[in-house]
Amino acid sequence: MKFFIDTANLNDIKEANALGILDGVTTNPSLMAKEGIFGDQEVLAHYKTICEIVDGPVSAEVIATDFEGMVREGEILAALHKNIVVKIPMILEGIKAIKYFSNKGIKTNCTLIFSPGQALIAAKAGASYISPFLGRLDDVSTNGIDLIAQIRGIYNNYTYDTEILAASVRHPMHIIQCAEIGADVMTGPLSAIKALANHPLTTLGLEQFLADHAKGK
Ligand code: E4P
């Protein structure tokens, strides 16, 4: 499973990248706003900086909600760097834009997926990635992991190139469950990625090894 980090925070991106296990980055307008990044030029410059840090797909989201606007914004984003993936919301205008970019060989990430039907139509349009938001489903008492499993089952019946990018990951168990189901990619915060390495027995065991080694000094 590929690991993407879901943030626009440059320090977190650098820290995750330094681990050597980072495959890409996802952002969204809320994550950009959280970092105080506003205005077209500032946003574009920030995407470029991210692309210079991580050698992998970087999802950059359009703001327009009509086909022409998405195409206009998506083409500007795609021209920024070869690693940019144009992130497009799951609406019918978005499906048209995904098909347009697919025909041009520009990668897309269809975001805000909450149902298997949405995942199916995005794959048919040629989305490179679809982003089911599992944490947000959990937030409304619906099992987000079940959706990932359902989409995996549907995609396994066919030969779509679309990758399942499990999004809205909140904690390490989400990552493990995504890997068990066979999500192609997960995107989550640095905290969830780092938490995978933790185990109290590892901590205790290492302390003991170092203490025993020190006895010989
Ligand atoms: C996906 O690409 C989104 O940026 C993200 O995963 C949403 O996560 P949230 O539900 O924690 O905001």
Side-chain angles (χ1 to χ4, degrees), residues 79-213:
L80 268 184
H81 194 278
K82 66 178 174 44
N83 288 347
I84 289 284
V85 173
V86 181
K87 203 173 183 188
I88 297 179
M90 166 38 75
I91 51 178
L92 289 175
E93 290 290 287
I95 290 299
K96 284 197 251 173
I98 289 167
K99 185 68 188 173
Y100 171 89
F101 285 122
S102 166
N103 287 342
K104 289 192 85 178
I106 291 174
K107 292 201 164 164
T108 54
N109 174 359
C110 186
T111 190
L112 292 165
I113 296 273
F114 292 96
S115 79
Q118 293 177 325
L120 185 57
I121 196 172
K124 281 197 67 69
S128 316
Y129 303 93
I130 53 119
S131 290
F133 278 32
L134 69 101
R136 291 194 193 184
L137 281 170
D138 288 356
D139 289 345
V140 293
S141 311
T142 303
N143 193 334
I145 289 293
D146 286 351
L147 173 63
I148 310 279
Q150 211 177 350
I151 297 170
R152 178 76 284 159
I154 291 169
Y155 282 12
N156 285 352
N157 289 337
Y158 304 101
T159 51
Y160 300 125
D161 291 329
T162 308
E163 294 188 50
I164 301 172
L165 196 177
S168 189
V169 160
R170 303 273 171 79
H171 50 70
M173 277 313 294
H174 273 159
I175 301 179
I176 292 162
Q177 289 169 320
C178 286
E180 282 175 339
I181 283 162
D184 301 292
V185 191
M186 81 80 206
T187 190
L190 180 62
S191 58
I193 295 172
K194 282 164 67 175
L196 288 174
N198 293 342
H199 197 287
L201 290 179
T202 305
T203 309
L204 279 175
L206 182 58
E207 278 170 10
Q208 186 68 55
F209 287 156
L210 296 179
D212 288 343
H213 174 76

Side-chain angles (χ1 to χ4, degrees), residues 8 27-38 61 63 136:
T27 62
N28 64 40
S30 304
L31 292 170
M32 296 295 269
K34 197 171 159 194
E35 301 307 315
I37 311 294
F38 296 103
E61 190 158 342
I63 305 300
R136 291 194 193 184

